[in-house]
Amino acid sequence: MKTARTEGSTVFDRDFVSAVLTWSDSNPRSLPWRVDGARERRDPWSVLVAETMLAQTQATRVAQVYPSFLERFPTALAMAQSTKSEVLERWIGLGYYRRAVRLWESSRAVVSNYPNSFPATLAELLQLPGVGRYTACAVLALGFGEAVVPVDVNALRVARRAIAGSALTHAETQQLLDRLVPPDRPAAFAEALFDLGSQYCTAQAPRCSQCPLSDRYCVWQRGLRRRSVGGRCDQEPSPVVDPALDPANPGSGRPRVPPYRGSRRHLRALVLRSLLQGRGLLDREVLFENVAALLNDSDSRDGSSRSLGPSVSLPTTTELFGEALRDLVSEGFVIETEDGLQLAP
Ligand code: SF4
């Protein structure tokens, strides 16, 4: 493992974990999926729902939808007994509707394979549709209290900068954090890393001067400080290059996010929204008009974290509408007959 921590790592690790937990205990975040900031174990199904939503949607937007969504689908059974359309309808505002379908499929898999329980191992969770390693680890840590860390982009940055001081791979970061996680507080530790990463250790401009880890518990900042005051750098590497940068492309910084507005993905979301609102068969031309109206409506953002781009020309919209519709039909989201278009049941 590439790490800048060559001396006193055990002491540093213990102090680091303690500093992280002390800070988070004093600065709880009130988010609906955290039960008003309480750090107890939560129902694994509710963790799966929250993490599926948070995967590609901003937390502020998820906070608006999550409570009513969970009230409607409080268990895997409640969702499994519902239709796909009902789930999609409740998903409006979050975007990336494929996640809702995968969640619905997961609920049915849970009910049929675990009638009186919930998948409780990494291997079992990874069998669920749409569940990757991050989500599986989140369910294990937050739902079952297992000593693993779900490594999202925030935890990855904090680990690279503060703990390792070098650009660890994702697998190395997982290994490092799993070794540090306090067995009695895996949820609190994971959530503290999320919060530190999103509030201070941001991708573009980390707020080091206000960060509770600062140069005392952050290897990268400590190294930079030693350089600036002419200290000995030979005992502790102090990379000037940001360790959080992608090692495969160190000059890139944050990858450029293409405009979302008017993209094929945006059109897909708007087609689904129009069909959900139409509640039945829609003529293709009517559907296009509805989609175009939504596209022009500045309030029609679908909850993605992506920024809206410049205005989109009609020919481009027509072309992308056709492509999006073709995708949705071929993927089984939408049924097209000579009578019109409708959501698949
Ligand atoms: S001191 Fe700066 S680099 Fe280190 S964890 Fe805090 S924000 Fe990140």
Side-chain angles (χ1 to χ4, degrees):
M1 182 183 294
K2 300 166 290 187
T3 175
R5 297 175 310 128
T6 55
E7 293 183 8
S9 287
T10 304
V11 174
F12 174 86
D13 290 349
R14 189 192 60 216
D15 292 348
F16 172 86
V17 171
S18 174
V20 165
L21 292 175
T22 301
W23 171 78
S24 69
D25 286 344
S26 310
N27 296 273
R29 289 185 77 190
S30 179
L31 296 166
W33 49 92
R34 291 194 187 172
V35 200
D36 290 332
R39 300 304 176 99
E40 74 269 24
R41 275 161 59 171
R42 299 193 296 276
D43 168 53
W45 167 250
S46 70
V47 175
L48 179 61
V49 170
E51 295 301 330
T52 303
M53 289 180 171
L54 289 164
Q56 287 168 296
T57 305
Q58 291 171 331
T60 49
R61 185 70 66 134
V62 172
Q64 295 168 2
V65 176
Y66 176 81
S68 60
F69 189 91
L70 199 64
E71 193 176 337
R72 172 64 187 81
F73 307 112
T75 61
L77 179 62
M79 183 173 285
Q81 291 175 333
S82 305
T83 64
K84 188 163 59 178
S85 299
E86 284 176 290
V87 177
L88 287 170
E89 192 170 351
R90 295 283 176 158
W91 195 265
I92 286 180
L94 297 175
Y96 295 93
Y97 289 82
R98 195 191 298 261
R99 291 175 297 165
V101 176
R102 295 288 174 267
L103 189 60
W104 176 70
E105 291 169 350
S106 286
S107 73
R108 295 162 72 93
V110 169
V111 168
S112 93
N113 298 329
Y114 306 87
N116 299 308
S117 62
F118 198 85
T121 67
L122 186 63
E124 289 173 347
L125 286 161
L126 289 174
Q127 291 294 314
L128 297 178
V131 172
R133 188 178 180 91
Y134 166 79
T135 304
C137 287
V139 173
L140 291 175
L142 310 178
F144 290 104
E146 279 208 24
V148 294
V149 175
V151 180
D152 74 342
V153 290
N154 294 307
L156 185 70
R157 277 197 307 277
V158 173
R160 283 176 172 175
R161 286 171 175 159
I163 310 172
S166 64
L168 302 181
T169 65
H170 197 283
E172 288 169 337
T173 305
Q174 182 78 63
Q175 196 182 339
L176 173 64
L177 291 177
D178 285 354
R179 188 166 54 74
L180 292 187
V181 61
D184 57 334
R185 305 198 65 196
F189 185 62
E191 288 173 346
L193 293 175
F194 301 159
D195 294 347
L196 282 169
S198 62
Q199 292 176 36
Y200 297 98
C201 202
T202 55
Q204 297 286 46
R207 297 167 51 216
C208 300
S209 59
Q210 288 112 50
C211 177
L213 301 178
S214 187
D215 57 2
R216 184 165 178 197
Y217 299 109
C218 175
V219 166
W220 183 45
Q221 280 307 303
R222 198 164 57 179
L224 291 177
R225 184 173 165 79
R226 284 192 182 190
R227 278 188 183 230
S228 71
V229 298
R232 291 183 61 193
C233 299
D234 54 327
Q235 291 185 340
E236 182 180 275
S238 52
V240 173
V241 174
D242 184 350
L245 290 178
D246 179 359
N249 190 11
S252 64
R254 201 177 197 180
R256 196 181 78 79
V257 178
Y260 178 69
R261 184 175 191 274
S263 68
R264 190 161 162 167
R265 184 168 281 172
H266 190 192
L267 270 288
R268 281 172 60 100
L270 296 184
V271 167
L272 287 174
R273 183 183 285 196
S274 297
L275 288 170
L276 284 165
Q277 290 172 343
R279 294 177 187 278
L281 275 171
L282 276 184
D283 178 79
R284 190 183 178 102
E285 281 184 23
V286 172
L287 178 61
F288 176 76
E289 283 170 13
N290 291 349
V291 167
L294 285 172
L295 187 60
N296 289 326
D297 179 355
S298 60
D299 294 331
S300 68
R301 301 177 186 208
D302 79 339
S304 161
S305 58
R306 298 184 175 217
S307 60
L308 297 180
S311 60
V312 184
S313 69
L314 187 59
T316 303
T317 303
T318 308
E319 192 178 317
L320 290 177
F321 169 78
E323 291 174 2
L325 199 50
R326 204 162 48 241
D327 288 349
L328 290 167
V329 170
S330 70
E331 292 165 13
F333 282 93
V334 174
I335 296 171
E336 183 168 24
T337 65
E338 56 187 24
D339 296 324
L341 295 134
Q342 65 182 348
L343 278 179

